[in-house]
Amino acid sequence: MNAITHNTVPTYQRISVKPLAVHIGAEISGVDLSRPLASEEIAEIRAALLQWKVIFFRDQHLSHAQHVAFGKQFGDLTLGHPVFGYEPGHPEVYSVGRDRFKSRFDGARLVRPWTGWHTDVTAAINPPAASILRGVVIPPYGGDTQWTNLVAAYHGLSPALRAFVDTLQGEHKFTPPEGNKARQEFVSKVAATPLISHHPLVRVHPETGEKALYVSPSFLKNIVGLHPRESEQLLALLFEHVVRPEYTVRFKWEEGSLAFWDNRSTAHLAPVDIYDTEFERQLYRITLVGDVPVGPDGKPSVSIEGEPVAAHSVE
């Protein structure tokens, strides 16, 4: 199974679902993720994910093995990260530590309203279907993560602009943030596993049929077929639009918190306020294998360089 399978349930009988914002985000309770789930629980969690785009759990103190086992109930898992590796002994787990970027970049990045927002690994031809992030060491305050609903953002555009972006594709790849200079570790790893893809600017969700404004500010570099100035201006408009506060939810982490988001209909923002403190922050992420995006015209994404992100197999 390479993506989350949608099983429609009329009501939630096995879990409790508490919405956190109008367009995105709900907190799930009444379930223990450390044990194998009943099929009814899996179906309801899937349905809540598709409805709310990102769902959150509290007081789930999982080991790496339990984290992986939970994720496998929803689909095949990738390696921790196709470019930047994984936790030793746990190939499906990627470390999201406070200082993970120190060895990759130098210099001061150019900060815009959308700086840092991204959808995971969109440089790949088949970006992950979903991501599951687990909080282990959490600062006493600060360090919140934000998500935005790309379906709501698409419908927030004018009909004329929606009709135009429906026809476009964008180029996604790994590059340093604007203003930063890549250090040798980043250069070497990207060169060893190059990933460049052309994805539709509007992605049709393979399960719900919803259209999402599939723009990932950290990875989407230009719009295919437009002149550079046209591309720059349109991307600035779209990037600014998708991070409007009304489309977003902000999550305050606790130890044992877990966030599970649909990577096909959301973008998210990692915190930078923690760099103004000495607080430690350590989370771990796993990702579910995704499919190739398809636009409203039925045309799939095109791989320019690199291989699809495959399911991790135990050798």
Side-chain angles (χ1 to χ4, degrees):
M1 181 168 56
N2 289 334
I4 304 165
T5 301
H6 178 41
N7 294 308
T8 302
V9 290
T11 57
Y12 297 106
Q13 302 288 346
R14 301 295 295 270
I15 63 174
S16 296
V17 179
K18 177 185 176 182
L20 300 181
V22 170
H23 291 295
I24 183 173
E27 191 166 304
I28 309 299
S29 59
V31 63
D32 179 1
L33 305 186
S34 69
R35 59 170 180 79
L37 300 176
S39 59
E40 295 86 358
E41 291 172 320
I42 294 171
E44 292 191 10
I45 291 171
R46 286 170 170 159
L49 178 67
L50 291 172
Q51 179 182 6
W52 292 104
K53 311 308 189 231
V54 57
I55 53 178
F56 306 105
F57 302 82
R58 298 287 191 185
D59 299 318
Q60 305 287 340
H61 299 274
L62 307 182
S63 65
H64 286 334
Q66 289 170 327
H67 191 181
V68 168
F70 170 67
K72 285 183 175 179
Q73 295 172 98
F74 296 88
D76 295 330
L77 301 185
T78 72
L79 284 174
H81 195 286
V83 176
F84 299 113
Y86 50 84
E87 276 293 283
H90 300 278
E92 303 94 345
V93 178
Y94 176 59
S95 172
V96 180
R98 167 198 162 105
D99 296 323
R100 66 191 182 281
F101 297 122
K102 280 188 175 180
S103 62
R104 299 181 195 172
F105 309 117
D106 286 318
R109 64 180 178 175
L110 174 63
V111 177
R112 303 179 189 271
W114 54 84
T115 296
W117 283 91
H118 65 285
T119 299
D120 286 331
V121 200
T122 58
I125 185 63
N126 62 327
S131 301
I132 306 174
L133 186 63
R134 170 172 55 101
V136 176
V137 179
I138 303 300
Y141 51 86
D144 300 351
T145 305
Q146 298 176 67
W147 284 262
T148 190
N149 182 340
L150 299 178
V151 174
Y154 173 78
H155 288 287
L157 297 175
S158 67
L161 187 51
R162 289 202 302 266
F164 181 46
V165 297
D166 277 352
T167 68
L168 301 175
Q169 287 197 334
E171 182 167 280
H172 297 242
K173 59 183 177 181
F174 285 99
T175 63
E178 290 182 277
N180 281 161
K181 181 180 179 181
R183 302 184 88 177
Q184 188 57 46
E185 180 191 7
F186 179 88
V187 173
S188 299
K189 289 189 174 182
V190 170
T193 313
L195 292 172
I196 304 175
S197 298
H198 288 177
H199 294 306
L201 255 60
V202 177
R203 178 177 187 174
V204 178
H205 197 287
E207 298 175 62
T208 66
E210 295 173 308
K211 291 182 179 181
L213 190 54
Y214 199 60
V215 297
S216 177
S218 294
F219 296 116
L220 176 53
K221 305 305 177 182
N222 61 79
I223 298 174
V224 178
L226 296 191
H227 293 312
R229 183 64 169 163
E230 295 170 339
S231 174
E232 177 187 53
Q233 292 294 297
L234 181 54
L235 286 181
L237 184 154
L238 296 176
F239 291 162
E240 184 177 76
H241 174 74
V242 299
V243 302
R244 283 168 48 177
E246 62 265 37
Y247 303 138
T248 69
V249 65
R250 184 177 186 126
F251 184 63
K252 184 170 292 296
W253 290 94
E254 299 171 350
E255 292 184 7
S257 295
L258 186 142
F260 186 174
W261 65 93
D262 191 333
N263 209 48
R264 302 161 296 184
S265 57
T266 64
H268 59 280
L269 178 66
V272 296
D273 60 343
I274 54 173
Y275 301 122
D276 295 326
T277 76
E278 298 299 321
F279 298 144
E280 292 298 317
R281 185 178 186 270
Q282 178 65 60
L283 301 93
Y284 293 96
R285 191 191 74 190
I286 61 174
T287 52
L288 303 180
V289 176
D291 55 358
V292 176
V294 175
D297 57 4
K299 294 181 180 178
S301 301
V302 177
S303 177
I304 305 303
E305 195 167 1
E307 298 297 322
V309 178
H312 171 67
S313 59
V314 179
E315 297 181 356

